[in-house]
Amino acid sequence: MNWDDPTDATASERLVGASADREDQAVEAALRPKDLGEFIGQEKVREQLDLVLRAARARGATADHVLLSGAPGLGKTTLSMIIAAEMGAPIRITSGPAIQHAGDLAAILSSLQEGEVLFLDEIHRMSRPAEEMLYMAMEDFRVDVIVGKGPGATAIPLELPPFTLVGATTRAGLLPPPLRDRFGFTAHMEFYEPAELERVIHRSANLLDVEIHADGAAEIAGRSRGTPRIANRLLRRVRDYAQVKADGFITRQIAAAALAVYEVDARGLDRLDRGVLEALLKLFGGGPVGLSTLAVAVGEERETVEEVAEPFLVREGLLARTPRGRVATPAAWEHLGLTPPRSATAGNGQQDLFGT
Ligand code: ADP
């Protein structure tokens, strides 16, 4: 089971998954900010990008290639659309996994219009030959199309119109340096502060014609894991609850009650996250315990625990990965309302792990 993979039917069960599920894809278009002014948060990225785009417009030139890195759901696709809109250019959207052969990329590149924005999501998952073709396309706006095979193969050079590549990746570190170096502007998208997510929620509520109290927005924001996509999704579920169980108006109480039904807790942990944490605390006294043992205890695959649950638990400072195994932090005991055994707070080596 891949909880964060939108193509996996079970992924949609995860209300706090950061990848877009089918419903997200259907409604997100309506919620996307259309220009930089509407884009909430990410002040640095916005300011820098604004300069890059203004300068390009003033020169009457195509904007430099842009690399956006950051977790899913933080607004990379939205920003690429904004770049196109601000440049008054059309946009073509594709992704690394969709480009298996260099020929696939050549077909896309050769059909671009002058100034068009090409959004390449998950650029780190492109095939190697396509990646090499992209180097030349980015630098010289030309590609060599190879015709034939073996010794008789010939390279036919093809001129391309100038275009702006917007590459998106969840892991900039995975990009080969020659590719990274060809971007004129690189931006790292951070997780959003609760106050920024509140603004996202108010904006979306407005567009969805949902009435929400400031407290209600704050309650949803606190459970959205720093991610606008999750904030918008939780808002929709809370709206449903408010319509069915109340008069449609979202207050703090309604938001909390709705998200309790969906098992998203006050810090945005869902059933899986809490299961991992509970096993770690209740069965293993807070650790250290090996990943495989922990996975068996929660009845999940090793990969699910490691790739789906743990990154957020680590980010929240609830769990630490140490050479000796997984260890709960004092905040984890507190979050689940449990009292750590004396040995967990004094003397079994955890003191050293946390430097307390
Ligand atoms: P990514 O491409 O990084 O996975 P998206 O650009 O698809 O993320 O954003 C997911 C959703 O979150 C969009 O529908 C958009 O409505 C919302 N969103 C993302 N960033 C912002 C923002 N800064 N302000 C308002 N809404 C945002």
Side-chain angles (χ1 to χ4, degrees):
M1 178 190 306
N2 182 349
W3 292 68
D4 253 359
D5 178 354
T7 58
D8 187 319
T10 52
S12 56
E13 291 169 15
R14 195 160 200 242
L15 202 56
V16 291
S19 300
D21 62 25
R22 286 179 192 84
E23 186 190 334
D24 293 329
Q25 286 166 3
V27 298
E28 274 183 357
L31 299 180
R32 283 186 204 285
K34 303 272 185 283
D35 57 40
L36 274 181
E38 261 189 82
F39 194 82
I40 293 162
Q42 311 287 346
E43 304 298 338
K44 270 269 150 309
V45 174
R46 225 151 31 97
E47 191 184 340
Q48 293 166 351
L49 199 54
D50 186 42
L51 286 173
V52 169
L53 300 180
R54 271 172 200 267
R57 274 202 307 261
R59 290 195 304 269
T62 303
D64 248 345
H65 304 305
V66 175
L67 178 66
L68 303 172
S69 72
L74 297 188
K76 298 185 295 298
T77 309
T78 306
L79 263 190
S80 75
M81 293 177 170
I82 289 176
I83 292 171
E86 299 263 346
M87 295 303 291
I91 181 166
R92 182 87 55 95
I93 295 182
T94 185
S95 72
I99 298 176
Q100 281 314 309
H101 308 285
D104 300 337
L105 183 64
I108 294 171
L109 292 172
S110 60
S111 65
L112 291 177
Q113 298 175 36
E114 181 161 350
E116 190 157 353
V117 171
L118 174 62
F119 179 60
L120 230 169
D121 202 5
E122 296 188 80
I123 191 169
H124 60 276
R125 291 179 60 195
M126 217 173 18
S127 73
R128 185 38 71 97
E131 198 176 275
E132 278 165 12
M133 174 180 277
L134 193 59
Y135 294 164
M136 199 196 276
M138 290 171 78
E139 203 154 271
D140 302 331
F141 296 112
R142 118 189 130 79
V143 288
D144 280 340
V145 180
I146 309 291
V147 181
K149 280 205 170 102
T154 36
I156 301 180
L158 191 69
E159 294 289 324
L160 303 173
F163 64 96
T164 299
L165 177 71
V166 181
T169 179
T170 44
R171 310 188 195 172
L174 287 185
L175 285 193
L179 180 55
R180 234 181 311 161
D181 293 347
R182 283 173 167 80
F183 286 96
F185 174 66
T186 301
H188 180 71
M189 319 261 300
E190 305 285 347
F191 287 99
Y192 290 67
E193 296 298 327
E196 294 168 339
L197 290 176
E198 284 177 41
R199 284 169 56 205
V200 171
I201 291 165
H202 278 298
R203 180 179 172 276
S204 300
N206 205 11
L207 291 169
L208 295 171
D209 219 0
V210 175
E211 277 190 284
I212 188 163
H213 192 270
D215 280 354
E219 189 65 38
I220 298 174
R223 300 180 188 220
S224 300
R225 302 161 76 113
T227 308
R229 172 172 293 131
I230 299 177
N232 282 338
R233 194 185 299 141
L234 296 186
L235 171 66
R236 295 198 299 274
R237 293 292 75 83
V238 173
R239 170 203 56 188
D240 296 348
Y241 181 96
Q243 278 170 357
V244 173
K245 301 272 189 186
D247 57 1
F249 189 71
I250 300 176
T251 58
R252 181 184 287 280
Q253 284 80 1
I254 290 286
L259 293 173
V261 170
Y262 289 106
E263 299 184 289
V264 177
D265 78 12
R267 278 179 91 152
L269 275 64
D270 73 351
R271 194 163 43 85
L272 173 72
D273 305 318
R274 288 180 71 91
V276 170
L277 221 48
E278 256 168 31
L280 179 58
L281 300 183
K282 291 184 178 167
L283 302 179
F284 305 108
V289 61
L291 172 62
S292 304
T293 310
L294 187 58
V296 170
V298 283
E300 290 290 350
E301 299 292 328
R302 228 180 107 94
E303 292 73 26
T304 306
V305 172
E306 186 173 29
E307 290 161 26
V308 181
E310 283 188 353
F312 181 64
L313 296 175
V314 171
R315 205 178 100 210
E316 282 287 288
L318 297 168
L319 178 145
R321 291 169 171 162
T322 76
R324 291 161 57 211
R326 272 49 178 176
V327 178
T329 65
W333 292 97
E334 195 179 317
H335 183 60
L336 291 196
L338 298 171
T339 313
R342 282 171 62 84
S343 60
T345 50
N348 77 344
Q350 290 203 10
Q351 273 179 309
D352 298 337
L353 290 169
F354 299 117
T356 49

